[in-house]
Amino acid sequence: MAVAARLPRPRGRPPKALAGYRETRESLLRAGMAALTEKGFSATGIDEVLRSVCVPKGSFYHYFASKDEFGSALISRYAAYFAGKLERHFHDKSRLPLERIQDFINDSARSMERFQFRRGCLVGNLGQEMGALSESFRQQLYEVFVDWQQRTSRCLRAAQQAGTISRDFDCDWLAEFFWVGWEGAVLRAKLERRPEPLHSFGKGFFQLLKQ
Amino acid sequence: MAVAARLPRPRGRPPKALAGYRETRESLLRAGMAALTEKGFSATGIDEVLRSVCVPKGSFYHYFASKDEFGSALISRYAAYFAGKLERHFHDKSRLPLERIQDFINDSARSMERFQFRRGCLVGNLGQEMGALSESFRQQLYEVFVDWQQRTSRCLRAAQQAGTISRDFDCDWLAEFFWVGWEGAVLRAKLERRPEPLHSFGKGFFQLLKQ
């Protein structure tokens, strides 16, 4: 007993670590995702992320080597989550190809509404902030856009094969046009706290496809 | 002499104030404009703005009541500068209405290139950051977009009157579509450090007008 009483109490040990390292890391990623979609990277303090999941200050580096590594992990996670969302819509065989894109737009409007238009696109937020971020983020963010565009381009080609849109369109360009403008629409929906900018952009995009 | 020697030395007085209060305020606004177009509001520290124009730390509040008041003054100044830029293009009678919009796009691409695509749109940057900013910015930023849209809508109506674009178009909607997407294009040009996204968006916009 006497010996046990002299053992050092693991003071700095985060309570959540009891539930496992992976679980705490997961909570940090979830909290970081919320903060970065809402405020971006620069305005997000590591301390507030730790506080929001009751992880003691100072234990962040048990889980990530740096704030930049945390940011990079969040981009990867967001990209994977979003790729899943796009695939769910774009591979929905019960819907026509252009309906699938409209479904994605409607789904995004509902998602933004669910968070009172406080959360936008993590990749768009960090892209906008590039002036203040490490150069290492640039390629990673760009590749996410390229991935989303490729998925969208495949859906547009399906519309071409179905004869819904003209075969004269360059689907890669159309997909790039969509994603370039879409990030502006998400930005504006956040500013106006309403879904209209998303639908307004979608309307223009579909009108362009009628040619 | 003895009396003069006892007068308190104005220690905190910024050296630049010798050249006048207005001039120092002006330098702060210029430095703030550069920082906010590049990095946004959250990532910009007041200290670095002061340092960049050699104004001593602590004297900021001689010029602005708060960082928010500084931000608000910067939005107003950027809006005025930009309204001038738009008017210069959109009222250029030597050019056809749609050429004027293309001129604005080309001018923007050149401006971004001049700063190696580090600087974007101050209003877009702060719009993206709304999750981290005072609510007081929201209405001000929105009104700037409305102003730009109204100027663009007038130019599009001139194109309608000249018979260049269909009279079926709702020019207010077209102008909104342009500005919603354009901010996405500026974001992407900053990320990719090249003008292609601006021209790609412009190409889609003009293609839409052909209907």
Side-chain angles (χ1 to χ4, degrees):
Chain A
M1 280 296 283
V3 171
R6 270 168 28 221
L7 282 175
R9 198 178 144 246
R11 278 196 153 205
R13 198 178 180 191
K16 285 242 168 176
L18 299 171
Y21 173 88
R22 284 182 67 85
E23 202 175 306
T24 306
R25 194 173 185 277
E26 185 62 29
S27 323
L28 288 170
L29 286 168
R30 268 200 304 272
M33 190 81 90
L36 262 61
T37 49
E38 194 163 324
K39 304 192 295 180
F41 193 73
S42 307
T44 296
I46 289 302
D47 287 357
E48 69 178 280
V49 172
L50 291 164
R51 250 198 323 275
S52 74
V53 290
C54 302
V55 170
K57 210 171 151 173
S59 69
F60 178 76
Y61 299 98
H62 291 300
Y63 305 99
F64 301 96
S66 62
K67 190 184 171 191
D68 277 3
E69 195 195 274
F70 185 52
S72 176
L74 287 170
I75 296 170
S76 300
R77 159 175 287 234
Y78 188 81
Y81 148 78
F82 216 86
K85 187 190 186 94
L86 290 176
E87 285 310 273
R88 206 168 54 247
H89 289 299
F90 293 173
H91 287 177
D92 180 353
K93 302 291 181 202
S94 74
R95 305 281 284 157
L96 294 170
L98 294 195
E99 288 174 339
R100 298 173 203 167
I101 297 177
Q102 185 64 60
D103 289 345
F104 162 71
I105 293 175
N106 296 341
D107 181 15
S108 300
R110 279 191 304 270
S111 294
M112 289 192 76
E113 204 140 26
R114 198 158 48 241
F115 295 105
Q116 297 87 45
F117 297 96
R118 282 185 286 104
R119 299 192 187 170
C121 172
L122 188 143
V123 176
N125 284 353
L126 272 67
Q128 188 77 294
E129 289 182 270
M130 260 321 295
L133 305 187
S134 305
E135 274 303 309
S136 61
F137 285 122
R138 195 183 299 277
Q139 188 64 23
Q140 195 184 3
L141 292 168
Y142 175 63
E143 281 167 11
V144 177
F145 279 130
V146 169
D147 175 65
W148 295 350
Q149 286 171 196
Q150 284 169 346
R151 292 171 195 275
T152 309
S153 180
R154 284 195 290 274
C155 189
L156 289 164
R157 277 199 296 276
Q160 249 174 354
Q161 278 147 17
T164 325
I165 64 171
S166 164
R167 286 188 183 263
D168 295 338
F169 278 122
D170 171 352
C171 291
D172 289 343
W173 169 72
L174 273 180
E176 185 199 313
F177 176 77
F178 178 81
W179 280 102
V180 161
W182 181 252
E183 288 296 332
V186 172
L187 183 164
R188 187 69 90 82
K190 260 178 90 175
L191 178 64
E192 298 186 19
R193 284 187 293 199
R194 52 180 182 173
E196 278 77 357
L198 303 176
H199 295 305
S200 188
F201 180 75
K203 177 183 157 186
F205 183 71
F206 287 115
Q207 199 152 324
L208 174 63
L209 297 182
K210 282 187 195 150
Q211 286 174 338
Chain B
M1 279 298 281
V3 171
R6 271 171 23 222
L7 282 176
R9 198 178 145 247
R11 280 196 152 203
R13 197 178 179 191
K16 285 241 168 175
L18 299 170
Y21 172 88
R22 284 182 66 86
E23 203 175 305
T24 306
R25 194 174 184 276
E26 185 63 28
S27 325
L28 288 171
L29 286 169
R30 268 200 304 271
M33 190 82 89
L36 263 61
T37 48
E38 194 163 323
K39 304 191 295 179
F41 194 73
S42 306
T44 296
I46 290 302
D47 287 357
E48 68 177 280
V49 172
L50 290 164
R51 251 198 324 275
S52 73
V53 291
C54 302
V55 170
K57 210 170 149 173
S59 70
F60 178 76
Y61 298 98
H62 290 300
Y63 304 100
F64 300 97
S66 62
K67 190 185 172 191
D68 277 2
E69 195 195 275
F70 184 52
S72 176
L74 287 169
I75 297 170
S76 299
R77 159 175 286 235
Y78 187 82
Y81 147 78
F82 216 86
K85 187 190 187 92
L86 291 176
E87 285 309 274
R88 205 168 55 247
H89 289 299
F90 293 172
H91 287 177
D92 180 354
K93 302 291 180 202
S94 74
R95 305 283 282 159
L96 293 171
L98 293 194
E99 288 174 340
R100 297 173 204 167
I101 296 177
Q102 185 63 60
D103 289 345
F104 162 72
I105 293 175
N106 295 342
D107 181 15
S108 300
R110 280 192 303 271
S111 294
M112 288 193 76
E113 205 141 23
R114 198 157 48 240
F115 294 105
Q116 297 87 45
F117 298 95
R118 282 186 288 102
R119 299 191 187 172
C121 173
L122 187 144
V123 176
N125 284 354
L126 273 66
Q128 188 77 294
E129 289 183 271
M130 259 321 296
L133 307 185
S134 305
E135 274 304 308
S136 61
F137 285 123
R138 195 183 298 277
Q139 187 64 24
Q140 195 185 1
L141 292 167
Y142 175 64
E143 281 167 11
V144 177
F145 279 130
V146 170
D147 175 65
W148 295 350
Q149 286 170 196
Q150 283 169 347
R151 292 171 195 275
T152 309
S153 180
R154 283 195 290 275
C155 188
L156 289 164
R157 275 199 296 277
Q160 248 173 355
Q161 279 148 17
T164 325
I165 64 171
S166 163
R167 286 187 183 264
D168 294 338
F169 277 123
D170 170 352
C171 290
D172 289 343
W173 169 72
L174 273 180
E176 186 200 311
F177 176 77
F178 178 81
W179 281 101
V180 161
W182 180 252
E183 288 296 332
V186 171
L187 182 165
R188 187 69 91 83
K190 261 178 90 175
L191 178 64
E192 297 186 20
R193 283 187 294 198
R194 52 181 181 172
E196 278 77 357
L198 302 176
H199 296 305
S200 187
F201 181 75
K203 176 183 159 187
F205 183 70
F206 288 115
Q207 198 151 326
L208 175 62
L209 297 181
K210 283 186 194 151
Q211 287 174 336

